[in-house]
Amino acid sequence: MIIVAECYANTCFAEALRGVLREKGFLEVRIVHKHVMGRDRVLRESLAIADKTNDFVLAVIDREEGIASSYIDKNFKIQETYEGILLGVSNRASNLLAVIFDPDIERAFLCKIASVLCEEGYRRRVKSGGACSILGRYLGGERAQDILRGLAEELKAMIGGGRVRDRG
């Protein structure tokens, strides 16, 4: 599996999810992130990767608000997994999946695992290159791990349960 993450906080989430996925039997999980990757670029790059491989590609993105969210709705078949965290299957590539934070990782996930992460000072810091040093201890917490394990189970069911067609 190849995970393509949108921002620094989403990359930290992807790293934590990779650890849980490995526990679930996904031994080959690679993360792709560049500091200039916005949501649309992540989706373009994810689709390009999905077209060139038989591996599953997982985009970790924010849904955004307003008109920007309609792009996600048009391009993914979406199911809500946890309040504010959605899983999607691309309408354009059967091996492209997405974890979608609605509307963003801060409100859909981070604020729920630790209220301190909602404070303005922390919100700015998780947008920086040092995000994982801040988020690491929170992502290892019980609430975060419960959500990560649940998402990993859902992804495993989607891939292995026939809800996503394997191209291999």
Side-chain angles (χ1 to χ4, degrees):
M1 180 179 289
I2 302 164
I3 301 176
V4 185
E6 175 181 356
C7 64
Y8 291 113
N10 288 11
T11 301
C12 302
F13 174 89
E15 289 174 3
L17 182 60
R18 173 174 52 189
V20 175
L21 286 168
R22 285 181 173 161
E23 291 171 9
K24 303 281 182 197
F26 292 89
L27 301 179
E28 295 292 323
V29 181
R30 183 169 54 100
I31 297 173
V32 175
H33 171 74
K34 297 175 185 144
H35 73 279
V36 294
M37 293 181 86
R39 185 197 64 182
D40 294 346
R41 184 168 178 185
V42 166
L43 292 173
R44 279 193 308 274
E45 187 154 328
S46 297
L47 188 58
I49 293 169
D51 285 342
K52 295 176 187 170
T53 184
N54 288 326
D55 290 339
F56 284 97
V57 178
L58 179 67
V60 179
I61 56 176
D62 294 342
R63 185 167 186 241
E64 308 298 345
E65 294 180 291
I67 194 82
S69 66
S70 65
Y71 182 82
I72 299 295
D73 299 336
K74 289 177 189 171
N75 287 284
F76 287 90
K77 181 180 171 189
I78 296 174
Q79 71 180 47
E80 186 159 353
T81 303
Y82 294 92
E83 185 180 323
I85 303 175
L86 315 170
L87 287 178
V89 178
S90 172
N91 294 329
R92 297 174 62 190
S94 61
N95 62 329
L96 175 55
L97 310 172
V99 171
I100 305 162
F101 297 106
D102 187 11
D104 54 46
I105 191 169
E106 293 87 358
R107 289 179 275 180
F109 180 67
L110 298 178
C111 292
K112 293 176 183 174
I113 63 169
S115 60
V116 68
L117 296 174
C118 291
E119 296 173 8
E120 190 57 36
Y122 277 95
R123 285 178 67 96
R124 278 195 309 273
R125 290 171 59 199
V126 300
K127 299 285 189 186
S128 71
C132 291
S133 65
I134 297 164
L135 295 177
R137 73 176 206 221
Y138 299 105
L139 290 170
E142 186 176 334
R143 174 78 173 123
Q145 287 296 303
D146 286 346
I147 292 170
L148 289 163
R149 281 191 293 273
L151 286 170
E153 283 295 328
E154 282 291 321
L155 288 167
K156 187 174 180 180
M158 289 172 80
I159 291 168
R163 290 192 283 177
V164 176
R165 185 177 55 82
D166 189 352
R167 293 169 39 150

